[in-house]
Amino acid sequence: MHNIDMDSVEMTLDVMKYALNRITMISPELGKPKKEEELKALVGETVTAKGIGGEKAFQLFKDVLIKATVPIDHPRHLAFVPASPTRAAIMFDLVTSASSIHGAYWMEGAGGIYCENEAMKWLVSLTGMPRGAFGVFTSGGTAANLSAMVTAREEWRKDENNQGEKGLIITSIGAHSSIKSMAKVIDADVLLVETEDQMKGQYLEEKIKSLTPHQRKRLFAVVATGGTTNAGIIDDLDGIANICQREKLWFHIDAAYGGGALAADSVKHLFKGVERCDSITIDPHKWLFSPYDCGAIIYKNPQLAKNAHTQEGSYLDIFKDEGAHGFNPSEYQIQLTRRVRGLPLWFSLAMHGTDKYKWAVEQGIKLAKLAGKLIEEDPNVELVREPSLSCVLYRRKGWTPDDYRNWTYKNHRDGFALVTPTKWRQGDSFETVSRFCFINPDTTEADIKAILDSMA
Ligand SMILES: Cc1ncc(COP(=O)(O)O)c(C=O)c1O
């Protein structure tokens, strides 16, 4: 397996040819899932004692398996939070793998970590956080949120009075599901401010006032959202910062999706107060055009993260040694061994410059506005709310939840588009509606029109 022979050279060329072809593809086939039994029937046993050979395995992958996946960068994939990695970033993802760099410690990964840190400096500069703020790349928003919550909880538990207590976090209904999930991981409770719309400072204040003295004692963090997943809503970050400062609470912002918009001059003002947070999640694999997986967590005071996350072990002692000194990404988040997953972003930033990133993010915002206009002109549909960042919620007049679901499946089956329904909450009632999330700057007006026409 580790020998270099003609077969492995030929296989490498085949793989490179495939990668080149895929990297340069503008509109890849919109694949769809098949049941596991169907896939098994089509490809047969692939993992066997003697192996089926690279050529055959690759052929099965190309002919059958890749077709059962949805390319996240398809211009009419507007569901969930899609993605659109730059070609430069994808190329460098190959280089990152080929380079076999261990990204946990400077001692082994210095050159790669240096590149990541250059990209990180740009991310930090987008937030306007004070000097000394810094962060690391993680496997995604969930891991970034968890890393921040662990740091906040550890800081709170430094006070002996809090040591036997179960922590409590306040966030809003608009917060991403990962906040509740990660609270389970750290065994903290979550209280929700009852709004899917913007969480205002005043709502947070009311929620804090409603706590019992014991709940107030247990409260250690507030999580605001900088671009909700469902509707692109940015919480009142400045108002929330005021309260967190006054109440001495950790202020975390989950901008996993919306954080890319910090690069866009047209909406940056909506994030006023972002610079005052204790920690912020921004996912380059969402709106900063990195391949999966690449999230990021930035801390106002990275030393607190280091206190919380540094692992101890005799086999790790060498990293404390003078000769091994440098920035160790593993000390600032939950993962030890890690891919230098910020490298593709660094290469793409270095190749294209940050202005192109601004342009590409602005494009997503423009597409959302354009979709809003097209929806207003179309008698069959109407906006549920004004587009926010790159999210658009709209209803097809007269449709039931089943109609939305059947329409989604039909478009997907036809290989035409992936646009999925969501629910929008008004008071206690939920309405099923349709949702666009624009990331890919290559999505066109014709794409949006064609999707709306398919609802006629
Ligand atoms: C606001 C927000 N936070 C967190 C996440 C989770 O990120 P990941 O899927 O990278 O773990 C998402 C994913 O869509 C998100 O939109």
Side-chain angles (χ1 to χ4, degrees), residues 337-358:
T337 298
R338 63 183 283 282
R339 178 181 179 77
V340 269
R341 51 170 58 86
L343 263 191
L345 174 65
W346 165 77
F347 182 72
S348 183
L349 278 168
M351 177 165 163
H352 294 300
T354 56
D355 284 354
K356 292 239 172 70
Y357 275 74
K358 273 179 189 280

Side-chain angles (χ1 to χ4, degrees), residues 147-148 150-152 154-156 158 250 278 299-310 331-332:
S147 300
V150 169
T151 304
E154 290 302 287
E155 183 55 15
W156 170 73
K158 265 198 212 150
W250 186 279
D278 291 293
Y299 304 95
K300 180 163 78 190
N301 181 353
Q303 182 59 43
L304 302 184
K306 201 168 175 180
N307 298 345
H309 291 288
T310 300
E331 293 175 343
Y332 301 87

Side-chain angles (χ1 to χ4, degrees), residues 196 230 393 420-424 431-435:
E196 201 187 336
N230 210 20
L393 297 185
T420 48
T422 186
K423 290 194 177 72
W424 179 245
E431 180 188 356
T432 298
V433 298
S434 188
R435 171 180 172 278

Side-chain angles (χ1 to χ4, degrees), residues 145-165:
N145 286 334
L146 176 59
S147 300
M149 286 153 85
V150 169
T151 304
R153 197 267 320 270
E154 290 302 287
E155 183 55 15
W156 170 73
R157 283 245 173 97
K158 265 198 212 150
D159 182 340
E160 282 183 359
N161 292 317
N162 297 332
Q163 277 173 11
E165 297 285 1

Side-chain angles (χ1 to χ4, degrees), residues 113-161:
I113 297 167
Y114 173 86
C115 299
E116 285 195 312
N117 288 356
E118 290 296 294
M120 181 54 71
K121 283 179 199 162
W122 177 64
L123 272 192
V124 175
S125 76
L126 294 179
T127 67
M129 286 165 79
R131 210 182 154 78
F134 206 60
V136 284
F137 293 100
T138 63
S139 63
T142 304
N145 286 334
L146 176 59
S147 300
M149 286 153 85
V150 169
T151 304
R153 197 267 320 270
E154 290 302 287
E155 183 55 15
W156 170 73
R157 283 245 173 97
K158 265 198 212 150
D159 182 340
E160 282 183 359
N161 292 317

Side-chain angles (χ1 to χ4, degrees), residues 81 139-143 145 176 178 225 227-229 254 256-257 283 285-286:
V81 180
S139 63
T142 304
N145 286 334
H176 186 259
S178 61
T225 310
T228 59
T229 317
D254 180 4
Y257 151 62
D283 276 1
H285 70 200
K286 294 193 169 68

